[in-house]
Structure formats: structure tokens, C-alpha cells
């Protein structure tokens, strides 16, 4: 069986930056996703199409096919009262917020002023070249309900 749309793929992967620092890796050595459903970044998904169980590959993904380029417009000052009043805010803290299109975004505190807080809502990996070491552990046809939901159920996937 080869990786194609509507297949559930189980991978082991390690993600490194260009300095060889590990950014991310598969939890417990296995990560499952639904191929063709934009569960993973396009650069990695495209590289996996047509691969088979046991294949090992190294994939270099540019920011354009990864998490995008950094956008300095996404670094902005917001009023202090947008944050919980009873919480001490410090640079480096990460919050989850709702983006302009209703999507969940991650916001990192850059600087704390008296009345305003400078935040950066770029993805932490925006502008970063991504180097994946991937091994294909399993491939199976997705169940109808998984295709309907657009994600994998069971081990390595969603539980609900
Ligand atoms: Zn589901």
C-alpha cells in the first residue's frame, strides 16, 4: 500500500532546525494523520505521497511550504486589559487566542509596558526551515467517519 489521499499514515519523525536542534518529535515514536486532509504542513505531506511502510526519508521544508514567513505586522501593542487582570504578565509567556478567521492562534508576549503589552502572533516556526527525518510505520485506509471528520481516530489520533 502506498500513501495516498484518504489513507491514515503512522509516522515516526524528528524535526530539526538548520542548526540541528530538535524542535519536535513524534510522541512515543508514533504520530498518525489523515493524508490529503491538511493535517500536516504541505511540504511534508507532498513529500510523503506515494511512499510505503518502512521508507525513511529526509525532507527539507521551506517556510512557504511550512508555517509561512514571519509577518512583522503580527507584532503589535495591545492594551493591558486584554489580559487577565489578576495575572502577572512576563515576556516569553504564551497565550492562546482567537484569530481574525476564528482559528486558534498562539500569542507570545514580547515586552510588557505599563498600559500596553507587545505581542507576537506569528507561528513560533514562521520563517524557519524545517528538516524532518521521517520513517513510515503504517498505512491503512481511513474509515468513512475519519474522512468525514478530517482527522484520525484511535491510537495517535483523536479520541472522542
Ligand atoms: Zn473525529
Amino acid at each position: 500500500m502506498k500513501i495516498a489521499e484518504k489513507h491514515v499514515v503512522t509516522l515516526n519523525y524528528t524535526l530539526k532546525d538548520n542548526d540541528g536542534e530538535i524542535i519536535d518529535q513524534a510522541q512515543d515514536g508514533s504520530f498518525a494523520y489523515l493524508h490529503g486532509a491538511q493535517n500536516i504542513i504541505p511540504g511534508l505531506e507532498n513529500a510523503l505521497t506515494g511512499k510505503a511502510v518502512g521508507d525513511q526519508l529526509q525532507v527539507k521544508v521551506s517556510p512557504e511550504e511550512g508555517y509561512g514567513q514571519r509577518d512583522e505586522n503580527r507584532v503589535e501593542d495591545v492594551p493591558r486589559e486584554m489580559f487577565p487582570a489578576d495575572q502577572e504578565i512576563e515576556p516569553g509567556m504564551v497565550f492562546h487566542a482567537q484569530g481574525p478567521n476564528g482559528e486558534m492562534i498562539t500569542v507570545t508576549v514580547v515586552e510588557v509596558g505599563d498600559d500596553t503589552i507587545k505581542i507576537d502572533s506569528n507561528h513560533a516556526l514562521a520563517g524557519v526551515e524545517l528538516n524532518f527525518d521521517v520513517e513510515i510505520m503504517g498505512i491503512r485506509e481511513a474509515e468513512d467517519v475519519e474522512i468525514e471528520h478530517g482527522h484520525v481516530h484511535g491510537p495517535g489520533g483523536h479520541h472522542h
Side-chain angles (χ1 to χ4, degrees):
M1 191 180 276
K2 290 198 178 349
I3 297 177
E5 282 193 20
K6 299 182 181 173
H7 285 58
V8 170
V9 181
T10 307
L11 306 172
N12 190 5
Y13 73 90
T14 305
L15 169 59
K16 294 177 182 162
D17 64 17
N18 283 346
D19 298 325
E21 294 281 338
I22 294 177
I23 299 171
D24 188 22
Q25 54 194 332
Q27 299 280 328
D28 304 323
S30 111
F31 166 80
Y33 77 97
L34 176 60
H35 197 78
Q38 293 162 342
N39 289 174
I40 60 174
I41 55 172
L44 183 58
E45 188 161 54
N46 293 338
L48 289 166
T49 301
K51 297 291 186 273
V53 171
D55 283 357
Q56 296 187 19
L57 57 159
Q58 293 187 315
V59 187
K60 190 175 190 75
V61 178
S62 66
E64 288 75 16
E65 287 202 295
Y67 294 97
Q69 293 288 0
R70 280 185 58 80
D71 177 358
E72 293 313 317
N73 292 322
R74 299 188 74 165
V75 180
E76 56 189 333
D77 290 310
V78 298
R80 171 67 179 84
E81 53 264 31
M82 283 183 66
F83 291 83
D86 56 356
Q87 189 166 15
E88 183 115 10
I89 309 293
E90 289 172 6
M93 288 177 86
V94 173
F95 291 85
H96 296 284
Q98 204 158 48
N101 304 313
E103 77 280 19
M104 282 301 277
I105 57 171
T106 301
V107 170
T108 307
V109 174
V110 181
E111 237 176 73
V112 180
D114 289 338
D115 304 318
T116 61
I117 290 175
K118 190 185 289 296
I119 59 164
D120 183 349
S121 57
N122 284 287
H123 191 283
L125 296 178
V128 177
E129 282 196 329
L130 307 169
N131 302 282
F132 288 93
D133 277 309
V134 182
E135 182 177 0
I136 320 272
M137 315 292 287
I139 306 170
R140 66 169 169 85
E141 287 188 27
E143 291 165 26
D144 289 345
V145 65
E146 291 175 315
I147 294 166
E148 199 181 304
H149 287 193
H151 57 226
V152 174
H153 292 170
H158 284 243
H159 300 274
H160 64 113

